[in-house]
Amino acid sequence: LVPTNLPFSLTHSSQKCCWLGPPPAFHTWLQLLWVVLVGFGGGSRAQQGTQPQSIKIEGDITLGGLFPVHSRGPKGIHRLEAMLYALDQINSDPDLLPNITLGARILDTCSRDTYALEQSLTFVQALIQKDNSDVRCSNGEPPIIPKPERVVGVIGASGSSVSIMVANVLRLFAIPQISYASTAPELSDKSRYEFFSRVVPPDSYQAQAMVDIVKAMGWNYVSTLASEGNYGESGVDAFLQISREAGGLCIAQSIKIPREPRPGEFEKIIKRLMETSNARGVIIFANEDDIKRVLQAAKKANLTGHFLFVGSDSWGAKSSPIQDQEEVAEGAVTILPKRASIDGFDQYFTSRSLENNRRNIWFAEFWEDDFKCKLTRPGIKYEAGRRKCTGEERISRDSQYEQEGKVQFVIDAVYAMAHALHSMHLDLCPGSMGVCEKMDPVEGRMLLQYIHSVNFNGSAGTGVMFNENGDAPGRYDIFQYQMSNVSNPGYKVIGQWTNHLRLNPEEMQWSGGDRKIPESVCSFPCESGERKKMVKGVPCCWHCELCDGYQYLLDEFSCDMCPFDMRPLKNRTGCRPTPIIKLEWSSPWAIIPVFLAILGILATTGVIVTFIRFNDTPIVRASGRELSYVLLTGIFLIYLITFLMIAEPSVAVCAFRRLLLGLGMCISYSAMLTKTNRIYRIFEQGKKSVTPPKFISPTSQLIITFILISVQLLGVFIWFGVMPPHTIIDYEEQKPPNPEFARGVLKCDMSDLSLILCLSYSIVLMITCTVYAIKSRGVPETFNEAKPIGFTMYTTCIIWLAFVPIFFGTAQSTEKMFIQTTTLTVSMSLSATVSLGMLYIPKVYVIIFHPEQNVQKRKRSFKAVVQAATVSTHLSQKSNDKQNGESKIEPDRSQ
């Protein structure tokens, strides 16, 4: 058997095959050639005289037809009748193929690719050159074998897997093929399926439309379901590829439904889908039966309303997949090539009956199934319990009728073939009535070119044309199955897709009548101030992490620290300046120190005024007027520093703080040290000789005091030179974990260390003075101020010992500045108050309230003072030796 129009030749020689030029797909050709040889060899049905069951319509030009006649429901019959209807219309059209009648050879594919391949071999019989030289009749004459009709083109098939198998055969024999339903993207590959065309758009367009729908609804995390086979798998593959190219869409799971699912398979599928429950959107490329069983399994798992299905054109606007599963299917968005119901076909089909449609050999079977009755046939036993068909039944009147969705495309496919033949006839047979020699036979490759050139308005009024891959343009209607608030539950058109999406969200309605589009996302948007921490390998999934502390959201994936002088906004989308604060006069931290300082200043002023008023009285003179005024000046400055410490920092304020902070204490303790040192030296010298010690005169005492003070002043002025005073804003001092409480503190450039160094000299003077006060404690109080100074120094030391832990213990507190300022000023005021109260308040009391005691006493020589001090010391020692004060000697105060 040698095909007459193969692109290569085949001969038998020593059981080897040789060819002229390489075939396009060698392995495919070799397999198909074996099928051809088996199908038409010695044991073929053709030679045995048994033709496949088919419909034969006589005509000048014969078209082949492939339809799933025995698929579930009336789908196959509707499509088959659509071809017969189209042939009738074309043959009765005087303007299309005039004087040429189109015939047909129509076969049943049973929706099985292997069976369809076997059936389609009928179309190539006329192209097989058979060697009958050794066949003779009984009288020796050669047999008369009728020549089979030559099929110039094939309409079909329906399923993509069937079309792929058939296309491999038809390509070998250069027979053009136009499908009305096959949408697998791989059929666009012209290197493999050169003679294949289709009036429906490929699934790549459908997949693009579905990606656009998913994105328009704001979903970024979906699962896919595909029926095993070319249609389901290639559709999902196209969806996955387009979604990857588009970006922003992640696939949670991609599940394949087996061709022959085992019991419980669909329950397992639902369970798997729930492993990624956030992926509520399910993209489904599956046949009707698989769709129905998926919905059943979801309903059984009590997941009604959870899954949001987006169905391909195999679901479309069909009622059979969702029958009895309407609640689960509610809200499902489906897609279907743009189509229209053909009124002419409805009139044609509803008028078909057993009497007027004998050309359709399968119509009787459809009649029985449609009317649920049984026809009486010879040799077939009548089934009990089923009524007998009368033949008077009528479609649509006595049975439910709805035009099948692909009817329009079947009609358009037949018309596309007719228009191509018409154009070919005009070019090859101008003016000829009927088929001329140039079209007998019709050359397949040339016809293919004419098919790709057609452009006409189809049965629904839309343009029919083909691109370079033989594909129709993508035009889809988008449906949603709605139940709530709809008078007639069913599919509602919510948009269209023609190279771009036009969706009407306001027309959409979900489970329970909700108008808000449900979410199908891996991760919900992060809150304000949270960054996305991506899950490795899944670009649509992330964890939200708060930009904590002083961080703000730099971009959606990273946080960054605010500048040191700023803090994040409340929503952490940026930074804002940190508020600047200072110690306010109205603050409780300032009120108490200011109150104490005001009392102290008033008291000190009162003492100074009293001393000036009674400057020449004995008590004032005896207290050492010169040093007393110096000491009172120091006390006054100590109180005054409180106001400088609380005042708003400026260069001048900071300079006076440096100067006066240690100066007031230095003046006070220098004067007291000079006093205690003078007393100590006088009585120590008196123990050795009657000669008075040096430098005990008032002038000498002032000089010593000012020398001690000058050391403090020298240190301060050196500090001024090395580091001029200035203000700073400390953003670290009040920077708690919560940035809402962060504050910048306006302060002078005095660190804790510099403050302590500033006071350290005064502390040394204070300690030294305390030592001399202890040494001079035995001196009679009549002769000196040693004991009051001693009590003053003891109390002052206790105050400052308490100050140190409070001051440094609050270094980490957010209220550090306020606590330390208050602690320092209160401690200084208390020490000044102790000095004022111990040394001068008693004198002022006597001067004002007991002036009679403020009288001149007899002068004593230095020798008498020393003797009295010596006697007092000895008596004090003896008194300590007595038990419970049995003998007490009063000192002689008459001197």
Side-chain angles (χ1 to χ4, degrees):
L1 303 179
V2 182
T4 59
N5 64 339
L6 289 177
F8 46 88
S9 65
L10 177 67
T11 60
H12 291 282
S13 174
S14 303
Q15 298 180 345
K16 293 182 180 178
C17 296
C18 58
W19 51 91
L20 305 176
F26 172 74
H27 295 291
T28 302
W29 174 84
L30 203 57
Q31 294 169 354
L32 293 173
L33 180 62
W34 180 83
V35 173
V36 172
L37 291 175
V38 170
F40 293 97
S44 70
R45 282 194 295 254
Q47 290 186 343
Q48 293 174 357
T50 58
Q51 287 284 350
Q53 197 174 27
S54 62
I55 296 174
K56 176 71 172 77
I57 308 295
E58 296 294 339
D60 301 320
I61 297 175
T62 302
L63 301 181
L66 293 171
F67 297 94
V69 177
H70 288 93
S71 62
R72 286 188 180 90
K75 175 174 70 175
I77 289 294
H78 280 220
R79 295 178 182 181
L80 185 154
E81 288 291 345
M83 181 174 180
L84 296 177
Y85 166 77
L87 290 175
D88 291 345
Q89 295 295 308
I90 294 167
N91 289 334
S92 62
D93 189 342
D95 298 322
L96 185 59
L97 290 175
N99 299 311
I100 296 176
T101 302
L102 287 182
R105 170 73 72 176
I106 301 175
L107 304 173
D108 179 16
T109 64
C110 293
S111 297
R112 288 169 48 201
D113 49 9
T114 53
Y115 182 76
L117 175 62
E118 185 180 358
Q119 291 285 76
S120 64
L121 297 178
T122 303
F123 299 144
V124 299
Q125 289 183 54
L127 302 177
I128 304 297
Q129 182 179 349
K130 301 172 187 176
D131 184 6
N132 297 317
S133 59
D134 58 342
V135 179
R136 290 290 183 272
C137 294
S138 58
N139 60 1
E141 296 293 327
I144 300 173
I145 300 175
K147 185 178 180 180
E149 78 274 14
R150 185 185 183 99
V151 174
V152 300
V154 174
I155 305 300
S158 179
S160 294
S161 58
V162 175
S163 287
I164 287 170
M165 190 68 80
V166 172
N168 282 312
V169 172
L170 299 182
R171 174 176 151 278
L172 292 175
F173 295 93
I175 299 176
Q177 173 187 4
I178 302 179
S179 173
Y180 50 82
S182 298
T183 56
E186 62 184 283
L187 286 166
S188 298
D189 185 356
K190 294 300 105 177
S191 65
R192 297 173 58 195
Y193 308 104
E194 182 182 0
F195 287 85
F196 179 85
S197 304
R198 49 187 160 190
V199 291
V200 288
D203 283 339
S204 54
Y205 292 158
Q206 182 175 203
Q208 179 66 64
M210 295 172 81
V211 168
D212 291 347
I213 291 169
V214 168
K215 293 193 131 189
M217 292 192 292
W219 299 352
N220 67 5
Y221 196 51
V222 297
S223 296
T224 63
L225 269 178
S227 290
E228 186 177 1
N230 287 99
Y231 173 78
E233 294 179 50
S234 61
V236 164
D237 288 343
F239 181 88
L240 296 178
Q241 181 179 351
I242 293 171
S243 65
R244 280 194 296 267
E245 292 171 356
L249 185 59
C250 299
I251 308 302
Q253 296 195 66
S254 192
I255 302 174
K256 186 190 298 182
I257 302 172
R259 198 183 299 271
E260 296 181 1
R262 298 176 181 176
E265 187 72 40
F266 289 90
E267 286 74 13
K268 291 180 182 178
I269 289 172
I270 294 298
K271 198 171 183 179
R272 280 190 60 188
L273 289 174
M274 285 305 294
E275 291 175 3
T276 50
S277 57
N278 276 7
R280 296 179 63 190
V282 179
I283 313 304
I284 183 164
F285 281 83
N287 58 53
E288 295 178 34
D289 186 55
D290 286 347
I291 293 170
K292 186 165 189 173
R293 295 175 71 179
V294 166
L295 296 178
Q296 288 174 341
K299 185 176 182 180
K300 184 178 178 180
N302 198 26
L303 292 171
T304 299
H306 176 78
F307 292 114
L308 311 168
F309 294 100
V310 178
S312 63
D313 61 348
S314 61
W315 186 334
K318 297 172 186 172
S319 57
S320 55
I322 63 170
Q323 190 174 359
D324 300 325
Q325 316 298 329
E326 289 83 358
E327 291 181 356
V328 185
E330 184 177 7
V333 176
T334 60
I335 189 170
L336 197 61
K338 200 168 187 65
R339 65 177 189 179
S341 182
I342 310 303
D343 294 336
F345 177 78
D346 288 340
Q347 296 171 8
Y348 163 81
F349 190 74
T350 55
S351 66
R352 296 298 90 190
S353 67
L354 293 172
E355 290 76 17
N356 63 14
N357 199 22
R358 295 185 183 275
R359 63 182 177 178
N360 185 345
I361 62 173
W362 296 291
F363 195 71
E365 292 181 49
F366 164 75
W367 195 271
E368 290 180 321
D369 187 62
D370 195 44
F371 295 108
K372 305 295 187 292
C373 62
K374 193 68 177 176
L375 291 170
T376 303
R377 300 179 191 173
I380 298 178
K381 188 177 180 181
Y382 183 72
E383 183 179 341
R386 194 168 189 181
R387 72 178 183 86
K388 184 179 179 181
C389 299
T390 63
E392 299 299 324
E393 298 89 352
R394 288 294 176 264
I395 299 171
S396 183
R397 186 191 72 185
D398 301 316
S399 66
Q400 189 176 8
Y401 168 74
E402 181 183 2
Q403 188 179 121
E404 200 276 330
K406 294 296 192 291
V407 164
Q408 169 198 334
F409 300 108
V410 174
I411 296 172
D412 287 345
V414 177
Y415 265 89
M417 194 72 76
H419 277 280
L421 288 168
H422 182 78
S423 299
M424 188 178 189
H425 183 265
L426 291 177
D427 291 343
L428 299 183
C429 309
S432 173
M433 303 296 288
V435 178
C436 66
E437 291 184 1
K438 290 184 179 180
M439 287 184 65
D440 189 16
V442 174
E443 206 281 305
R445 190 170 295 277
M446 184 181 296
L447 177 59
L448 178 65
Q449 294 174 359
Y450 281 101
I451 290 172
H452 286 177
S453 300
V454 300
N455 189 341
F456 64 96
N457 285 332
S459 56
T462 55
V464 176
M465 63 193 76
F466 301 97
N467 63 15
E468 65 278 5
N469 294 323
D471 297 328
R475 291 189 290 259
Y476 296 95
D477 282 325
I478 301 166
F479 297 88
Q480 187 183 39
Y481 185 76
Q482 299 180 358
M483 291 180 61
S484 303
N485 300 326
V486 177
S487 56
N488 294 317
Y491 295 96
K492 181 178 180 180
V493 176
I494 58 169
Q496 294 84 34
W497 190 93
T498 50
N499 295 324
H500 65 276
L501 179 66
R502 293 192 302 274
L503 192 66
N504 302 318
E506 63 276 2
E507 298 290 332
M508 303 181 81
Q509 187 170 282
W510 306 89
S511 180
D514 191 6
R515 293 283 181 179
K516 183 181 178 183
I517 298 176
E519 293 180 317
S520 180
V521 294
C522 180
S523 302
F524 292 100
C526 291
E527 297 290 336
S528 179
E530 292 181 339
R531 75 177 185 94
K532 293 180 181 178
K533 183 178 181 182
M534 305 306 296
V535 176
K536 189 175 181 180
V538 190
C540 300
C541 299
W542 59 80
H543 301 299
C544 294
E545 289 188 349
L546 180 67
C547 295
D548 57 357
Y550 290 80
Q551 295 179 327
Y552 72 99
L553 193 64
L554 180 63
D555 53 51
E556 62 176 327
F557 302 108
S558 57
C559 301
D560 197 12
M561 292 294 294
C562 285
F564 75 96
D565 59 343
M566 304 185 83
R567 59 177 179 168
L569 296 169
K570 287 186 177 181
N571 59 10
R572 296 186 178 270
T573 56
C575 296
R576 52 182 169 161
T578 301
I580 308 302
I581 62 167
K582 58 183 179 59
L583 186 56
E584 300 291 342
W585 295 103
S586 58
S587 170
W589 297 103
I591 291 175
I592 295 175
V594 168
F595 178 72
L596 293 176
I598 291 174
L599 291 180
I601 288 174
L602 292 175
T604 305
T605 303
V607 171
I608 293 174
V609 169
T610 301
F611 267 49
I612 293 174
R613 171 69 179 79
F614 300 96
N615 188 55
D616 293 325
T617 60
I619 290 179
V620 174
R621 284 185 298 173
S623 64
R625 288 175 295 184
E626 297 79 4
L627 284 182
S628 290
Y629 288 130
V630 171
L631 199 152
L632 287 169
T633 301
I635 292 173
F636 184 87
L637 291 178
I638 291 174
Y639 286 123
L640 187 65
I641 194 64
T642 295
F643 298 93
L644 289 173
M645 295 300 292
I646 296 174
E648 181 176 347
S650 64
V651 174
V653 169
C654 292
F656 279 108
R657 279 188 190 179
R658 285 192 189 183
L659 180 64
L660 300 181
L661 181 63
L663 185 60
M665 292 177 63
C666 178
I667 291 173
S668 298
Y669 297 137
S670 294
M672 281 191 280
L673 176 60
T674 302
K675 276 190 175 188
T676 54
N677 176 265
R678 175 177 176 271
I679 295 170
Y680 175 75
R681 285 189 298 113
I682 287 175
F683 286 95
E684 286 295 317
Q685 180 70 21
K687 294 176 184 179
K688 300 174 182 178
S689 67
V690 295
T691 306
K694 297 179 180 180
F695 310 118
I696 60 173
S697 66
T699 303
S700 300
Q701 295 294 295
L702 287 175
I703 293 173
I704 293 172
T705 300
F706 287 128
I707 289 174
L708 293 175
I709 294 171
S710 65
V711 175
Q712 174 76 20
L713 291 173
L714 180 63
V716 170
F717 286 121
I718 292 174
W719 187 8
F720 280 160
V722 174
M723 188 182 296
H726 61 276
T727 60
I728 60 170
I729 300 175
D730 189 347
Y731 291 97
E732 296 298 326
E733 182 172 311
Q734 288 202 29
K735 199 168 187 177
N738 186 350
E740 288 301 308
F741 300 109
R743 299 291 185 271
V745 180
L746 178 63
K747 58 197 294 189
C748 292
D749 61 327
M750 293 177 65
S751 64
D752 293 348
L753 179 61
S754 62
L755 186 144
I756 295 301
L757 290 176
C758 184
L759 296 175
S760 60
Y761 181 63
S762 299
I763 293 173
V764 170
L765 292 177
M766 179 184 69
I767 294 172
T768 306
C769 185
T770 303
V771 171
Y772 277 112
I774 293 172
K775 289 184 176 182
S776 303
R777 68 185 182 280
V779 177
E781 59 185 36
T782 306
F783 302 103
N784 61 80
E785 294 177 307
K787 287 185 179 179
I789 291 175
F791 288 131
T792 299
M793 301 317 299
Y794 305 152
T795 307
T796 302
C797 286
I798 293 172
I799 291 172
W800 287 100
L801 285 175
F803 160 78
V804 171
I806 295 174
F807 186 86
F808 290 101
T810 58
Q812 303 303 319
S813 172
T814 55
E815 303 288 337
K816 171 186 173 183
M817 183 193 74
F818 305 137
I819 297 174
Q820 290 186 344
T821 300
T822 300
T823 303
L824 177 63
T825 53
V826 169
S827 297
M828 295 181 72
S829 294
L830 288 177
S831 63
T833 301
V834 168
S835 300
L836 188 67
M838 292 284 188
L839 298 178
Y840 294 106
I841 296 300
K843 292 181 174 59
V844 171
Y845 176 79
V846 170
I847 291 173
I848 295 175
F849 297 104
H850 296 283
E852 70 278 3
Q853 297 181 12
N854 190 9
V855 295
Q856 180 70 38
K857 294 187 178 182
R858 179 177 60 87
K859 276 190 173 183
R860 291 176 296 177
S861 66
F862 176 75
K863 180 179 179 181
V865 170
V866 172
Q867 289 176 347
T870 303
V871 171
S872 176
T873 303
H874 290 311
L875 290 174
S876 177
Q877 290 175 352
K878 289 180 179 179
S879 176
N880 291 336
D881 293 336
K882 296 293 182 179
Q883 294 292 326
N884 299 323
E886 292 176 2
S887 174
K888 185 176 181 181
I889 302 176
E890 292 290 334
D892 183 6
R893 297 177 184 274
S894 61
Q895 298 184 38

